[in-house]
Amino acid sequence: MFWVIAFLLVVVGWDAGWVAAGVKPMFPWQLRKHLAESKLDPVLIDVRTPAEYRLFHIAGARLRPDLLLRPGALELEDPLRPVVVICMTGHRSPVAAHRLGKHGIRNVYNLTWGMLGWKLFGGKTLTGDPPAG
């Protein structure tokens, strides 16, 4: 029981720490609702490896693992459009989201709990290689 409580405290502490640092969370059910109802879909940025992306990804997600180290490399057509950063478990994406925010992207969110949370809460996924280009 101790280990379960300790694990939950670490997970909650990690997420709370990023919120305190200014990273806006987007929970899987919020993203699903946003994708289903919004006229302005967010830009989905997946910072996982190509192998992880091939396993499963959200339709329309752009594979950009380079943004973890080079957040200034992201160019947006519409700077007002929300950006949601995605990783596998929610540990890389808040780092990338924070760095993107420091590079002037103000409407950036972290997909809390990553792709595992997305799948756990019923999000649909695709498999295969990212689109060329």
Side-chain angles (χ1 to χ4, degrees):
M1 183 66 165
F2 168 79
W3 294 110
V4 172
I5 293 170
F7 174 75
L8 291 174
L9 287 174
V10 168
V11 169
V12 169
W14 176 262
D15 290 335
W18 283 111
V19 169
V23 176
K24 295 181 273 189
M26 183 169 289
F27 292 94
W29 56 88
Q30 291 173 314
L31 180 57
R32 281 183 46 212
K33 183 177 180 183
H34 193 76
L35 291 172
E37 297 176 359
S38 177
K39 290 181 174 65
L40 182 64
D41 282 343
V43 177
L44 302 175
I45 302 294
D46 195 320
V47 296
R48 297 177 301 153
T49 66
E52 290 173 306
Y53 186 95
R54 279 191 294 276
L55 287 174
F56 54 91
H57 57 271
I58 300 172
R62 302 177 191 175
L63 180 62
R64 294 296 305 271
D66 63 309
L67 295 178
L68 281 164
L69 298 176
R70 297 183 322 111
L74 182 63
E75 295 179 15
L76 296 173
E77 303 84 33
D78 180 358
L80 298 178
R81 194 169 164 195
V83 174
V84 179
V85 185
I86 303 162
C87 69
M88 186 64 86
T89 62
H91 290 90
R92 287 172 281 185
S93 54
V95 174
H98 187 262
R99 290 180 178 167
L100 288 169
K102 293 289 184 186
H103 276 83
I105 298 175
R106 295 290 161 230
N107 203 8
V108 63
Y109 297 84
N110 165 52
L111 179 60
T112 306
W113 309 317
M115 286 301 297
L116 295 182
W118 176 256
K119 286 188 71 81
L120 181 68
F121 286 95
K124 296 191 184 309
T125 60
L126 302 174
T127 60
D129 290 321

